[in-house]
Amino acid sequence: MEMQDQPCPIRDVLDRIGDQWSLLILQALAQRTLRFNQLSREIDDISRQMLSRTLKRLETDGFVRRTLFAEVPPRVEYTLTELGRSFLSPMQALVEWADTHHAQIRQSRRQARDIASDS
Amino acid sequence: MEMQDQPCPIRDVLDRIGDQWSLLILQALAQRTLRFNQLSREIDDISRQMLSRTLKRLETDGFVRRTLFAEVPPRVEYTLTELGRSFLSPMQALVEWADTHHAQIRQSRRQARDIASDS
DNA sequence: CTGGATCCTGGGCGATACTG
DNA sequence: CAGTATCGCCCAGGATCCAG
């Protein structure tokens, strides 16, 4: 089913950037253009596989621009598009909220665990 | 591996609210307290299974408070906690960005498809 | 250096049926 | 009314190997 031509925007967007890696990549590219291996080292626990896939999706969705230089060895640079840069603001709001409230969330989880173990 | 006591905040948070349903539930509860079946009707394409699971996780993480009334038939109300309400602001920023730029993203996807079909 | 192809596993999620 | 139990599918994501 689901033949809608206009899927719910927030769900559609979250399906893409809500994965494990997209936000980290966008953050890495927030300040500067980076090459593939630079990104790989910057994030470092991402597999090259997923880095490649996620970059391709971000490119398809217009967040990131990929530039291939015809050199040997090949060089590829990734940089944010206008759309990608416009996303930094709401993303930063989210990141800052996470930083501020992370401890509180973990505390809440611990309490839930402790209560559960009162069986 | 990954025995860290302090996981990356943004990843930890995204792992929870980056799923298919959490944001929709939080949005539904943004304005008013709701009962289980009200939520079920509000979102309407969520299974009761996932509504139950997601609510429990949101409760565990401290976004939502669950209140059971000892009545017959039973009544359960869900409402945002202080933490949950504090999350509305960055969430709204994200939702508004999605609304504003959704068309552009879909356009970018279409272009990518068209170029790919030039094979 | 920058990827693609292939194989595999965990878990998110839905469907359905059952319960206090 | 407000859930839980069970089953099974699908696919994000890792590991590994191959290629331009």
Side-chain angles (χ1 to χ4, degrees):
Chain A
M1 310 313 145
E2 288 296 342
M3 283 306 186
Q4 294 190 14
D5 229 21
Q6 298 284 3
C8 168
I10 184 62
R11 293 177 71 167
D12 197 23
V13 170
L14 265 188
D15 277 355
R16 294 304 182 101
I17 59 87
D19 66 1
Q20 201 171 1
W21 301 115
S22 292
L23 283 208
L24 292 179
I25 292 178
L26 293 176
Q27 276 219 306
L29 294 176
Q31 306 301 334
R32 58 212 179 292
T33 294
L34 288 175
R35 303 177 53 173
F36 187 85
N37 267 6
Q38 288 178 315
L39 275 166
S40 183
R41 259 174 276 116
E42 195 96 355
I43 307 185
D44 101 319
D45 56 342
I46 191 176
S47 64
R48 307 235 270 20
Q49 168 81 280
M50 281 314 297
L51 179 56
S52 175
R53 281 189 202 171
T54 309
L55 279 170
K56 182 161 297 186
R57 280 204 331 205
L58 289 174
E59 190 195 358
T60 299
D61 283 9
F63 287 80
V64 161
R65 176 164 28 253
R66 177 183 185 273
T67 311
L68 165 65
F69 295 87
E71 305 175 353
V72 177
R75 174 165 56 109
V76 180
E77 287 187 353
Y78 292 93
T79 187
L80 293 188
T81 61
E82 187 72 20
L83 181 69
R85 277 194 300 278
S86 80
F87 183 68
L88 290 180
S89 165
M91 182 175 92
Q92 266 317 111
L94 203 64
V95 170
E96 279 164 26
W97 187 92
D99 282 340
T100 305
H101 299 276
H102 189 223
Q104 193 175 345
I105 292 177
R106 303 193 74 228
Q107 155 109 19
S108 181
R109 287 180 194 164
R110 253 176 277 122
Q111 279 187 12
R113 258 214 327 274
D114 296 346
I115 292 177
S117 68
D118 274 353
S119 55
Chain B
M1 310 312 148
E2 289 294 343
M3 284 303 185
Q4 295 190 14
D5 229 22
Q6 298 285 3
C8 167
I10 183 61
R11 293 176 72 166
D12 197 23
V13 170
L14 264 188
D15 276 355
R16 295 306 183 100
I17 58 87
D19 66 0
Q20 200 171 1
W21 302 113
S22 292
L23 282 209
L24 292 180
I25 292 179
L26 293 177
Q27 275 219 307
L29 293 175
Q31 305 300 333
R32 58 212 179 291
T33 295
L34 287 175
R35 304 178 54 175
F36 187 86
N37 268 4
Q38 287 178 315
L39 275 166
S40 184
R41 259 173 276 115
E42 196 95 355
I43 307 184
D44 100 318
D45 57 341
I46 191 176
S47 65
R48 310 237 282 353
Q49 169 82 277
M50 282 313 297
L51 179 56
S52 175
R53 282 189 200 170
T54 309
L55 279 170
K56 185 163 296 185
R57 279 205 331 205
L58 289 174
E59 189 194 358
T60 298
D61 283 9
F63 287 80
V64 160
R65 176 162 31 251
R66 177 185 186 272
T67 310
L68 165 66
F69 296 87
E71 305 175 356
V72 177
R75 174 163 56 109
V76 179
E77 287 188 352
Y78 293 93
T79 187
L80 294 187
T81 62
E82 188 73 19
L83 181 69
R85 278 193 300 277
S86 80
F87 182 69
L88 291 181
S89 164
M91 181 175 92
Q92 266 316 113
L94 203 65
V95 170
E96 279 165 25
W97 186 92
D99 281 340
T100 305
H101 299 277
H102 187 223
Q104 194 175 345
I105 292 177
R106 304 193 73 227
Q107 156 110 18
S108 182
R109 288 182 194 161
R110 253 176 278 122
Q111 279 186 13
R113 258 215 327 274
D114 294 347
I115 293 176
S117 68
D118 275 352
S119 56

